[in-house]
Amino acid sequence: MNSTLNKVMLIGHLGDDVKLHYFKSDSCIGRFPLATNETYINKETGEKITSTEWHNIVVRNKAAELCEKYLSKGDKIYIEGRIKSRQWQSEDGSTKYTTEIQAIDFTFLNTKKETDGNKQNSLTEPKNTNFDPPKNALPENDLPF
């Protein structure tokens, strides 16, 4: 059997606000950095160590607009997606590379904008069916950090 799987599940905090880019075809793309943390104890020194990994997240169309509307720097989100690497030529002719997480599903775990007067839950907005929240998202007290 020759099957493969490209699936990523992340829970982290936005490192910046969502940046949207619209195209002529009325579609859009949203991008934001996501930080995930790992904390462990150094066995030699007993010191608590926290390391942060940064992920470039990409969302599209209605999902991108929902993220831009409700998410702010520091908010926590659960994302399921796939890893996508790409390359391009910069203006100076050098080849640039990046690795991104293309979001397929997401759940807002907490948002600042959600508490800014309107108290509206982002998941009550009309949703693109490809971006419904997963039914098995971890409850807050089961998070690994």
Side-chain angles (χ1 to χ4, degrees):
M1 178 182 227
N2 278 340
S3 60
T4 65
L5 176 66
N6 182 352
K7 183 171 185 169
V8 176
M9 296 186 305
L10 300 168
I11 296 174
H13 295 272
L14 274 72
D16 199 357
D17 292 339
V18 178
K19 307 289 190 246
L20 287 184
H21 176 78
Y22 286 91
F23 300 98
K24 291 179 184 177
S25 62
D26 289 331
S27 62
C28 67
I29 191 169
R31 298 180 183 276
F32 59 90
L34 186 77
T36 57
N37 298 315
E38 176 185 8
T39 303
Y40 59 93
I41 304 296
N42 181 320
K43 290 180 181 178
E44 293 177 9
T45 65
E47 178 185 8
K48 184 178 177 180
I49 308 289
T50 300
S51 66
T52 302
E53 188 72 34
W54 288 96
H55 312 275
N56 298 313
I57 308 298
V58 176
V59 288
R60 298 184 184 280
N61 301 318
K62 181 66 175 173
E65 291 173 341
L66 285 172
C67 286
E68 193 271 337
K69 181 176 181 180
Y70 290 103
L71 292 174
S72 299
K73 180 178 179 178
D75 288 344
K76 186 183 267 187
I77 188 171
Y78 167 82
I79 292 177
E80 283 188 29
R82 62 187 180 101
I83 298 172
K84 178 74 175 178
S85 298
R86 60 185 177 88
Q87 68 182 44
W88 71 96
Q89 298 295 318
S90 68
E91 291 179 11
D92 67 5
S94 63
T95 303
K96 302 288 185 178
Y97 300 90
T98 190
T99 301
E100 301 169 326
I101 306 301
Q102 294 185 340
I104 296 168
D105 257 336
F106 59 82
T107 300
F108 302 155
L109 298 178
N110 74 335
T111 65
K112 293 182 188 113
K113 291 182 181 180
E114 174 175 274
T115 58
D116 287 348
N118 65 8
K119 300 286 185 193
Q120 186 175 18
N121 184 331
S122 62
L123 299 177
T124 62
E125 289 285 315
K127 298 181 273 261
N128 177 329
T129 57
N130 291 334
F131 288 89
D132 286 341
K135 307 293 185 259
N136 62 348
L138 297 172
E140 186 73 24
N141 60 353
D142 283 350
L143 298 179
F145 46 87

